[in-house]
Amino acid sequence: VSNQFVAKWLHQNKGTPRVIEVYEIWNSLKVVENFYHYQNKVESDDHPKRFSKFAGPGNTNRRFHGTARKCNLGVGVNEICSDNSCVVCRIVESGFLMQKKSLRNWDRFGRGHYFTSTSSKSHDYCVTTEKVFNNEVTRVTLVVNVVVGRGFPLKKNDSTIVSAPDGYHSILGEVGDDLNFDEVVTYSDESTLPGYLVLYTWSAS
């Protein structure tokens, strides 16, 4: 996980990352069962082509997700908080839930679960997780197992999307007209399984 995080830090203007700690997430039995049921269904029904030899059944890939944290989870604290606005803790507690997603004015590919293979891109969404730990400025980001399945590629924004097109399981935001770095978007809670919480710091560029 640490090696992947550092290797996929692609923004040269964001300095150099250093992973301090990686915490494994223990999901509820319901979240785990729903994920593997969905993963097996995608694999058995469609046999999607896998991105690489490291991808799992259903073209499952490990991706990064940056979001808000209100507490000190990961910074000397290993217990989740009860604040409903602490998105990191709510994901650790119950997994990704579309019904809990805040309604924003605009989402690039509609209301869905957003992930990226580029750790330095997820860094942009972790601003509210910034804490000083052992005299270092740190942030946390989530590492998630995502059933990408058969992804529908898009290079232009389309905020009207509510699900992947028929025959597809996700949207692949590809580098091009509107994106500088990749995204994958799923619209099913069962397509995601939180894996790790990464605590990291970074040097000035």
Side-chain angles (χ1 to χ4, degrees):
V1 174
S2 296
N3 290 340
Q4 181 184 4
F5 185 87
V6 173
K8 298 301 289 184
W9 188 278
L10 304 180
H11 291 72
Q12 295 182 353
N13 63 338
K14 294 181 181 177
T16 303
R18 179 172 61 82
V19 173
I20 299 172
E21 192 69 71
V22 176
Y23 301 93
E24 186 174 3
I25 296 172
W26 291 82
N27 296 279
S28 70
L29 181 60
K30 179 182 178 182
V31 170
V32 173
E33 288 181 341
N34 287 345
F35 172 80
Y36 283 113
H37 176 76
Y38 180 82
Q39 182 190 58
N40 290 333
K41 185 177 187 304
V42 170
E43 177 67 21
S44 61
D45 290 354
D46 297 291
H47 305 290
K49 182 179 179 180
R50 301 185 186 187
F51 286 160
S52 72
K53 64 179 181 180
F54 301 108
N59 192 22
T60 298
N61 294 269
R62 203 158 61 187
R63 293 294 183 259
F64 301 105
H65 179 82
T67 191
R69 179 191 59 176
K70 294 297 182 72
C71 66
N72 290 322
L73 183 68
V75 187
V77 175
N78 59 10
E79 296 289 336
I80 63 173
C81 72
S82 59
D83 189 334
N84 285 330
S85 64
C86 185
V87 184
V88 169
C89 283
R90 301 291 68 79
I91 290 174
V92 171
E93 179 181 51
S94 304
F96 285 82
L97 299 173
M98 287 290 288
Q99 67 184 37
K100 297 288 187 180
K101 281 185 63 64
S102 60
L103 292 172
R104 300 189 297 184
N105 292 330
W106 181 81
D107 283 302
R108 188 184 300 278
F109 299 117
R111 190 163 176 255
H113 301 307
Y114 284 71
F115 308 95
T116 179
S117 69
T118 307
S119 57
S120 51
K121 178 169 183 169
S122 71
H123 177 71
D124 292 340
Y125 298 89
C126 302
V127 176
T128 62
T129 75
E130 203 162 287
K131 304 280 185 181
V132 175
F133 181 63
N134 289 340
N135 297 317
E136 293 183 302
V137 177
T138 67
R139 293 184 187 180
V140 295
T141 196
L142 291 159
V143 181
V144 184
N145 297 297
V146 182
V147 180
V148 179
R150 184 178 292 112
F152 186 78
L154 284 176
K155 291 186 178 181
K156 287 185 175 293
N157 300 335
D158 185 351
S159 61
T160 66
I161 295 174
V162 295
S163 66
D166 289 345
Y168 293 88
H169 308 95
S170 62
I171 295 294
L172 301 180
E174 297 188 336
V175 176
D177 297 334
D178 293 326
L179 286 90
N180 294 319
F181 294 90
D182 71 282
E183 290 183 351
V184 59
V185 188
T186 67
Y187 303 87
S188 166
D189 299 337
E190 294 79 12
S191 65
T192 63
L193 184 69
Y196 303 93
L197 183 72
V198 177
L199 173 68
Y200 66 97
T201 187
W202 65 102
S203 64
S205 57

